[in-house]
mmCIF file of all heavy atoms in Angstrom:
data_model
loop_
_atom_site.group_PDB
_atom_site.id
_atom_site.type_symbol
_atom_site.label_atom_id
_atom_site.label_comp_id
_atom_site.label_asym_id
_atom_site.label_seq_id
_atom_site.Cartn_x
_atom_site.Cartn_y
_atom_site.Cartn_z
ATOM 1 N N ASP A 117 17.067 -3.109 -14.525
ATOM 2 C CA ASP A 117 18.364 -3.716 -14.176
ATOM 3 C C ASP A 117 18.191 -4.804 -13.080
ATOM 4 O O ASP A 117 18.925 -5.822 -13.070
ATOM 5 C CB ASP A 117 19.360 -2.642 -13.686
ATOM 6 C CG ASP A 117 19.853 -1.758 -14.830
ATOM 7 O OD1 ASP A 117 19.699 -2.167 -15.955
ATOM 8 O OD2 ASP A 117 20.333 -0.634 -14.507
ATOM 9 N N THR A 118 17.242 -4.549 -12.173
ATOM 10 C CA THR A 118 16.996 -5.568 -11.137
ATOM 11 C C THR A 118 16.483 -6.876 -11.738
ATOM 12 O O THR A 118 16.928 -8.001 -11.346
ATOM 13 C CB THR A 118 15.980 -5.017 -10.105
ATOM 14 O OG1 THR A 118 16.557 -3.977 -9.434
ATOM 15 C CG2 THR A 118 15.650 -6.113 -9.062
ATOM 16 N N LEU A 119 15.524 -6.800 -12.666
ATOM 17 C CA LEU A 119 14.947 -7.978 -13.239
ATOM 18 C C LEU A 119 15.999 -8.817 -13.941
ATOM 19 O O LEU A 119 15.960 -10.046 -13.945
ATOM 20 C CB LEU A 119 13.823 -7.606 -14.178
ATOM 21 C CG LEU A 119 12.558 -7.069 -13.558
ATOM 22 C CD1 LEU A 119 11.552 -6.560 -14.647
ATOM 23 C CD2 LEU A 119 11.875 -8.064 -12.642
ATOM 24 N N LYS A 120 16.998 -8.183 -14.538
ATOM 25 C CA LYS A 120 18.041 -8.881 -15.235
ATOM 26 C C LYS A 120 18.961 -9.655 -14.225
ATOM 27 O O LYS A 120 19.587 -10.633 -14.606
ATOM 28 C CB LYS A 120 18.896 -7.908 -16.075
ATOM 29 C CG LYS A 120 18.148 -7.330 -17.246
ATOM 30 C CD LYS A 120 18.999 -6.388 -18.029
ATOM 31 C CE LYS A 120 18.264 -5.900 -19.239
ATOM 32 N NZ LYS A 120 19.096 -4.891 -20.028
ATOM 33 N N LYS A 121 18.997 -9.221 -12.952
ATOM 34 C CA LYS A 121 19.858 -9.835 -11.978
ATOM 35 C C LYS A 121 19.175 -10.995 -11.267
ATOM 36 O O LYS A 121 19.836 -11.810 -10.645
ATOM 37 C CB LYS A 121 20.248 -8.803 -10.899
ATOM 38 C CG LYS A 121 21.220 -7.737 -11.367
ATOM 39 C CD LYS A 121 21.412 -6.694 -10.256
ATOM 40 C CE LYS A 121 22.410 -5.631 -10.572
ATOM 41 N NZ LYS A 121 23.760 -6.111 -10.362
ATOM 42 N N LEU A 122 17.816 -11.108 -11.364
ATOM 43 C CA LEU A 122 17.105 -12.050 -10.558
ATOM 44 C C LEU A 122 17.237 -13.459 -11.060
ATOM 45 O O LEU A 122 17.138 -13.715 -12.264
ATOM 46 C CB LEU A 122 15.613 -11.644 -10.492
ATOM 47 C CG LEU A 122 15.279 -10.304 -9.890
ATOM 48 C CD1 LEU A 122 13.760 -10.101 -9.888
ATOM 49 C CD2 LEU A 122 15.806 -10.113 -8.477
ATOM 50 N N ASN A 123 17.372 -14.402 -10.123
ATOM 51 C CA ASN A 123 17.287 -15.804 -10.399
ATOM 52 C C ASN A 123 16.102 -16.302 -9.589
ATOM 53 O O ASN A 123 16.224 -16.420 -8.337
ATOM 54 C CB ASN A 123 18.589 -16.527 -10.096
ATOM 55 C CG ASN A 123 18.558 -18.000 -10.346
ATOM 56 O OD1 ASN A 123 17.477 -18.598 -10.576
ATOM 57 N ND2 ASN A 123 19.720 -18.657 -10.384
ATOM 58 N N GLY A 124 14.967 -16.617 -10.177
ATOM 59 C CA GLY A 124 13.831 -16.971 -9.361
ATOM 60 C C GLY A 124 12.597 -17.110 -10.173
ATOM 61 O O GLY A 124 12.564 -17.175 -11.389
ATOM 62 N N MET A 125 11.503 -17.151 -9.450
ATOM 63 C CA MET A 125 10.120 -17.110 -10.054
ATOM 64 C C MET A 125 9.338 -16.065 -9.294
ATOM 65 O O MET A 125 9.457 -15.979 -8.101
ATOM 66 C CB MET A 125 9.524 -18.527 -9.958
ATOM 67 C CG MET A 125 9.432 -19.094 -8.461
ATOM 68 S SD MET A 125 8.648 -20.712 -8.424
ATOM 69 C CE MET A 125 8.799 -21.076 -6.670
ATOM 70 N N TRP A 126 8.537 -15.344 -10.059
ATOM 71 C CA TRP A 126 7.845 -14.223 -9.371
ATOM 72 C C TRP A 126 6.674 -13.673 -10.150
ATOM 73 O O TRP A 126 6.585 -13.790 -11.380
ATOM 74 C CB TRP A 126 8.819 -13.125 -9.117
ATOM 75 C CG TRP A 126 9.317 -12.424 -10.342
ATOM 76 C CD1 TRP A 126 8.728 -11.369 -11.079
ATOM 77 C CD2 TRP A 126 10.572 -12.707 -11.031
ATOM 78 N NE1 TRP A 126 9.538 -11.076 -12.122
ATOM 79 C CE2 TRP A 126 10.674 -11.837 -12.106
ATOM 80 C CE3 TRP A 126 11.610 -13.566 -10.798
ATOM 81 C CZ2 TRP A 126 11.746 -11.839 -12.955
ATOM 82 C CZ3 TRP A 126 12.697 -13.574 -11.621
ATOM 83 C CH2 TRP A 126 12.714 -12.708 -12.754
ATOM 84 N N ALA A 127 5.833 -13.092 -9.381
ATOM 85 C CA ALA A 127 4.769 -12.171 -9.920
ATOM 86 C C ALA A 127 4.619 -11.135 -8.855
ATOM 87 O O ALA A 127 4.445 -11.435 -7.667
ATOM 88 C CB ALA A 127 3.427 -12.901 -10.181
ATOM 89 N N PHE A 128 4.855 -9.865 -9.200
ATOM 90 C CA PHE A 128 4.769 -8.812 -8.201
ATOM 91 C C PHE A 128 4.242 -7.481 -8.705
ATOM 92 O O PHE A 128 4.204 -7.269 -9.885
ATOM 93 C CB PHE A 128 6.157 -8.575 -7.518
ATOM 94 C CG PHE A 128 7.249 -7.982 -8.429
ATOM 95 C CD1 PHE A 128 7.180 -6.622 -8.699
ATOM 96 C CD2 PHE A 128 8.265 -8.766 -8.902
ATOM 97 C CE1 PHE A 128 8.187 -6.089 -9.537
ATOM 98 C CE2 PHE A 128 9.224 -8.194 -9.682
ATOM 99 C CZ PHE A 128 9.263 -6.885 -10.080
ATOM 100 N N ALA A 129 3.745 -6.705 -7.710
ATOM 101 C CA ALA A 129 3.297 -5.377 -8.007
ATOM 102 C C ALA A 129 4.223 -4.457 -7.159
ATOM 103 O O ALA A 129 4.290 -4.624 -5.952
ATOM 104 C CB ALA A 129 1.852 -5.164 -7.649
ATOM 105 N N TYR A 130 4.830 -3.470 -7.853
ATOM 106 C CA TYR A 130 5.753 -2.538 -7.146
ATOM 107 C C TYR A 130 5.278 -1.172 -7.407
ATOM 108 O O TYR A 130 5.031 -0.719 -8.562
ATOM 109 C CB TYR A 130 7.168 -2.719 -7.698
ATOM 110 C CG TYR A 130 8.145 -1.649 -7.316
ATOM 111 C CD1 TYR A 130 8.810 -1.688 -6.077
ATOM 112 C CD2 TYR A 130 8.455 -0.631 -8.210
ATOM 113 C CE1 TYR A 130 9.720 -0.736 -5.745
ATOM 114 C CE2 TYR A 130 9.353 0.360 -7.866
ATOM 115 C CZ TYR A 130 9.985 0.336 -6.608
ATOM 116 O OH TYR A 130 10.907 1.300 -6.259
ATOM 117 N N LEU A 131 4.935 -0.401 -6.338
ATOM 118 C CA LEU A 131 4.418 0.893 -6.432
ATOM 119 C C LEU A 131 5.490 1.903 -5.976
ATOM 120 O O LEU A 131 5.969 1.846 -4.797
ATOM 121 C CB LEU A 131 3.228 1.042 -5.531
ATOM 122 C CG LEU A 131 2.454 2.403 -5.519
ATOM 123 C CD1 LEU A 131 1.858 2.695 -6.890
ATOM 124 C CD2 LEU A 131 1.371 2.388 -4.466
ATOM 125 N N ASN A 132 5.867 2.815 -6.826
ATOM 126 C CA ASN A 132 6.929 3.857 -6.586
ATOM 127 C C ASN A 132 6.201 5.183 -6.387
ATOM 128 O O ASN A 132 5.594 5.753 -7.350
ATOM 129 C CB ASN A 132 7.946 3.861 -7.665
ATOM 130 C CG ASN A 132 9.158 4.805 -7.318
ATOM 131 O OD1 ASN A 132 8.965 5.971 -7.177
ATOM 132 N ND2 ASN A 132 10.256 4.108 -7.148
ATOM 133 N N PHE A 133 6.266 5.779 -5.231
ATOM 134 C CA PHE A 133 5.549 6.989 -4.952
ATOM 135 C C PHE A 133 6.166 8.219 -5.583
ATOM 136 O O PHE A 133 5.516 9.127 -6.064
ATOM 137 C CB PHE A 133 5.469 7.254 -3.418
ATOM 138 C CG PHE A 133 4.721 6.134 -2.668
ATOM 139 C CD1 PHE A 133 5.365 5.360 -1.818
ATOM 140 C CD2 PHE A 133 3.348 5.966 -2.894
ATOM 141 C CE1 PHE A 133 4.626 4.296 -1.143
ATOM 142 C CE2 PHE A 133 2.655 4.976 -2.222
ATOM 143 C CZ PHE A 133 3.300 4.134 -1.361
ATOM 144 N N SER A 134 7.441 8.296 -5.594
ATOM 145 C CA SER A 134 8.149 9.442 -6.211
ATOM 146 C C SER A 134 8.016 9.473 -7.701
ATOM 147 O O SER A 134 7.824 10.514 -8.375
ATOM 148 C CB SER A 134 9.624 9.498 -5.829
ATOM 149 O OG SER A 134 10.278 8.340 -6.324
#
Side-chain angles (χ1 to χ4, degrees):
D117 289 341
T118 297
L119 291 174
K120 292 179 179 180
K121 291 174 176 281
L122 300 183
N123 181 345
M125 54 180 180
W126 66 84
F128 67 76
Y130 168 82
L131 182 64
N132 189 295
F133 298 113
S134 61

